[in-house]
Amino acid sequence: MCGIFGVYNYYGDAGEFRQRALDLSKRIRHRGPDWSGCVVSGNNIMCHERLAIVGIDTGAQPLTNEDETIVLTVNGEIYNHKQLEKQLKTPTQFKTHSDCEVILHMYQEIGTDVCAKLDGMFSWALLDTRTAESRLVIARDPIGITTLYVGRVSAHPETVFFSSELKSLNDECDIIEEFPPGHFFDSKTGEFERYFKPTWWDAERVPTAAVDYRQLRESLTAAVRKRLMAEVPYGVLLSGGLDSSLISSIAVREAARISAAAQSDTEDIDTRGARYFPRMHSFSVGLPNAPDLIAARKVAKFLKTAHHEYTYTVQEGLDAIADVIYHLETYDVTTVRASTPMYLMSRKIKSAGVKMVLSGEGSDEVFGGYLYFHYAPSAPEFHTETVNRVKNLHTSDCLRANKSTMAWGLEARVPFLDKEFLEVAMNVRPEDKL
């Protein structure tokens, strides 16, 4: 992931505002310390702070088409980019090895319909200047794994600001809102439109299908496997609990399988990560002698990962709170408390040269794993609560996982929130989850 910032239809001189835009984009450079890019087109500015994970040699952004009439800035990963490249009707010469470039070419062929075709976590903005009145399209991933905000100036309602974090907007905008997950914004209409329409979205619709364990296992395995896409060292976050242990075990197994298999250009997923770095590294954090550390040690030993255990003191945790709040951009007590160990661990992980980790967020919401779910009055009410919790992850665990890791330029990927896995897991009857 990276950091994006931009302004569309700026009310002043965009050329003069360029340096100010660079300064505002710099506020989120912790998200992308590897390179910075800026494109000014008319009265529009698109900025990018890059964390290089895929296409590290050629993937600098913003990306443009051949005649530079379309500009794209992306924060995220597109796991099905190889499949989408094959679906292009027009023979296309890609400029980069980035998984994100396919968005630009797909947009040229099918417009905003590209949003629903993407399998990944993403926030992106695309500027189309091929017509007299330029067009801005912004989109956010289905669940809100990545963070994205939109800002406006009440005196100039025609201008639209956007950023991965609030800190780039608060000095310029007097109206700021979170960009809704699963939507795209189109300047042609000035409206947000939902593109993510899964069968399980209606919380009052209670599924009746019995659990298919093979389908559940295969869909989660596929979710983990596709997330091994990387050209840099990566690992897994391991607390010793069921969620992270399951993700870690699948990741270890799939990485070994990919590494042992012959190289194939016909695979639909990008397998470079497991081929480049077949040995899995695992990471855990806690106070000295914490139960989680002990449990994680046992799991790591069983899985034969290269395990890294980090500890911190209560005082170190207290000392970090101000910085945690700065990066989270929330005072919510639960979020701050849960983010502090993750923030401290992310710094250690990044110092070890790792840029990407798999994490277990989302499973408790999908399967009703929190203690209070045991007191659900009925199976239908249990299901309704799981749906509502998944819908609101962008305000809690997704926000925490994204901002506390990206504070140090570390990307967290969450297989339990894979949209194809959710289509399976959220359609299991609640009686099988109770």
Side-chain angles (χ1 to χ4, degrees), residues 84-99:
L84 295 178
E85 289 167 16
K86 294 175 183 177
Q87 294 176 22
L88 291 169
K89 297 181 176 64
T90 305
T92 303
Q93 183 66 45
F94 280 69
K95 290 184 177 181
T96 74
H97 297 138
S98 169
D99 54 294

Side-chain angles (χ1 to χ4, degrees), residues 58-85:
T58 61
Q61 297 190 39
L63 301 166
T64 61
N65 63 343
E66 285 297 324
D67 60 5
E68 299 187 349
T69 54
I70 301 178
V71 185
L72 173 71
T73 182
V74 187
N75 163 35
E77 308 292 344
I78 308 302
Y79 303 124
N80 64 335
H81 69 99
K82 292 181 69 175
Q83 295 162 268
L84 295 178
E85 289 167 16

Side-chain angles (χ1 to χ4, degrees), residues 117-187:
K117 288 185 172 290
L118 300 176
D119 181 6
M121 55 177 183
F122 53 82
S123 296
W124 53 264
L126 183 146
L127 176 68
D128 186 349
T129 63
R130 292 176 297 176
T131 57
E133 184 176 351
S134 62
R135 181 186 190 186
L136 177 70
V137 177
I138 312 175
R140 188 181 182 192
D141 66 69
I143 304 299
I145 300 168
T146 61
T147 53
L148 184 63
Y149 304 90
V150 174
R152 296 179 184 273
V153 179
S154 55
H156 303 281
E158 72 283 0
T159 299
V160 178
F161 289 79
F162 61 87
S163 177
S164 296
E165 296 186 9
L166 293 164
K167 53 183 64 67
S168 296
L169 301 176
N170 63 294
D171 286 341
E172 293 295 323
C173 306
D174 55 3
I175 303 171
I176 302 175
E177 59 183 320
E178 182 188 9
F179 196 101
H183 287 70
F184 68 83
F185 169 83
D186 190 345
S187 64

